[in-house]
C-alpha cells in the first residue's frame, strides 16, 4: 500500500486535518460527527453503542475532556493495526492499487465544520475517480450476514455514505475480511438522497 502523496489534486489539502498525537486526534474527532457516530444515529450501532452514549461522548469532547475509554475508541485503535494487513491481502487478491489516507487525519466537510470522517484508505475507480475504502474485519458470529450478500450490510454502508457525504467523492469501497480469511469487496455509489437524510438526522442531534 502506497503512502498518501504529498502533492495531489483530487481533494482540497486544507480540508484534511493532520495530527501527530493520538490524544489530540481523538479529541478533534470527538468534536465532530464521524461515520461511527452516524451509524449509531441511524440506529445501526453495535450492541454496546447508544444515542445517549454518542451524546455524552460528544459533550465531553466539546468541553475539552477525554471521555472514559470505552469500546468505541478501543475498536478504532484496534482497527488501525488490523486494517493494513487486510488491505495488503486485498491488493494482492484483487490486483488493486490502494493508498493510505493517514492514520491521524480528519477529512472535513466543505461547509459544515461539525461533520468529518477518518478514512481507512483510498482507491481510484477507472470510471468514477477516487473514493474511500472502508475496511472491516468481520467476527465469526457476523460472517453469515456478509458471506452471501450481494451488497454490503447496512451498518458499514451507512459509514461509507457518511464518508462520501463529507468528502464529495462519487463512490467508494467496502472491503471485508471474513472469519475464514476470505476477502470480499463491494463498490457503492454515493446515495445523495440518503445523504440529505443523514444530514438532517445529524443536524437535529448536533443542534439538540
Amino acid at each position: 500500500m502506497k503512502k498518501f502523496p504529498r502533492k495531489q489534486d483530487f481533494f482540497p489539502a486544507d480540508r484534511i486535518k493532520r495530527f501527530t498525537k493520538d490524544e489530540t486526534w481523538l479529541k478533534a474527532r470527538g468534536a465532530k460527527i464521524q461515520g461511527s457516530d452516524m451509524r449509531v444515529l441511524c440506529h445501526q450501532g453495535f450492541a454496546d453503542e447508544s444515542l445517549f452514549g454518542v451524546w455524552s461522548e460528544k459533550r465531553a469532547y466539546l468541553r475539552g475532556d477525554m471521555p472514559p475509554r470505552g469500546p468505541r475508541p478501543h475498536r478504532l485503535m484496534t482497527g488501525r493495526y488490523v486494517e493494513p494487513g487486510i488491505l495488503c491481502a486485498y491488493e494482492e487478491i484483487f490486483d488493486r492499487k490502494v493508498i493510505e489516507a493517514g492514520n491521524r487525519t480528519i477529512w472535513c466537510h466543505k461547509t459544515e465544520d461539525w461533520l468529518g470522517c477518518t478514512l481507512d484508505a483510498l482507491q481510484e475507480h477507472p470510471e468514477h475517480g477516487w473514493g474511500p475504502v472502508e475496511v472491516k474485519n468481520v467476527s465469526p458470529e457476523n460472517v453469515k450476514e456478509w458471506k452471501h450478500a450481494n451488497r454490503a450490510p447496512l451498518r458499514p454502508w451507512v459509514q461509507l455514505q457518511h464518508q462520501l457525504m463529507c468528502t464529495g467523492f462519487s463512490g467508494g469501497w467496502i472491503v471485508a475480511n471474513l472469519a475464514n480469511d476470505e476477502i470480499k469487496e463491494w463498490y457503492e455509489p454515493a446515495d445523495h438522497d440518503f445523504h440529505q437524510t443523514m444530514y438532517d438526522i445529524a443536524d437535529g442531534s448536533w443542534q439538540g
Side-chain angles (χ1 to χ4, degrees), residues 84-156:
I86 297 173
L87 285 168
C88 287
Y90 168 64
E91 284 186 302
E92 183 173 340
I93 293 169
F94 287 86
D95 192 25
R96 300 287 191 255
K97 302 294 183 184
V98 176
I99 64 172
E100 65 178 30
N103 280 333
R104 301 184 189 93
T105 57
I106 299 175
W107 296 58
C108 301
H109 191 279
K110 63 180 179 181
T111 58
E112 307 297 337
D113 62 1
W114 50 274
L115 286 172
C117 57
T118 297
L119 307 181
D120 294 335
L122 291 153
Q123 187 172 194
E124 188 173 15
H125 191 282
E127 297 177 11
H128 306 299
W130 288 94
V133 181
E134 175 66 17
V135 182
K136 296 298 179 188
N137 189 40
V138 181
S139 58
E141 61 269 23
N142 293 324
V143 164
K144 186 177 290 186
E145 69 172 319
W146 289 78
K147 191 170 182 63
H148 303 296
N150 293 323
R151 294 188 63 179
L154 192 54
R155 183 183 294 151

Side-chain angles (χ1 to χ4, degrees), residues 16-124:
I16 305 174
K17 308 302 182 186
R18 302 175 183 276
F19 301 87
T20 57
K21 296 182 178 179
D22 285 340
E23 184 172 350
T24 53
W25 171 60
L26 287 170
K27 281 185 175 181
R29 285 186 89 256
K32 296 181 185 294
I33 298 291
Q34 298 267 331
S36 55
D37 305 314
M38 186 64 78
R39 59 174 164 73
V40 179
L41 296 179
C42 293
H43 301 283
Q44 293 299 317
F46 291 101
D48 54 20
E49 296 176 314
S50 67
L51 295 173
F52 177 76
V54 171
W55 176 82
S56 59
E57 182 181 281
K58 297 300 166 191
R59 189 166 177 262
Y61 278 122
L62 289 168
R63 289 199 309 260
D65 300 332
M66 286 289 282
R69 196 168 182 83
R72 283 158 54 82
H74 173 74
R75 199 175 283 127
L76 179 71
M77 303 305 284
T78 301
R80 176 188 292 181
Y81 298 104
V82 174
E83 287 157 5
I86 297 173
L87 285 168
C88 287
Y90 168 64
E91 284 186 302
E92 183 173 340
I93 293 169
F94 287 86
D95 192 25
R96 300 287 191 255
K97 302 294 183 184
V98 176
I99 64 172
E100 65 178 30
N103 280 333
R104 301 184 189 93
T105 57
I106 299 175
W107 296 58
C108 301
H109 191 279
K110 63 180 179 181
T111 58
E112 307 297 337
D113 62 1
W114 50 274
L115 286 172
C117 57
T118 297
L119 307 181
D120 294 335
L122 291 153
Q123 187 172 194
E124 188 173 15

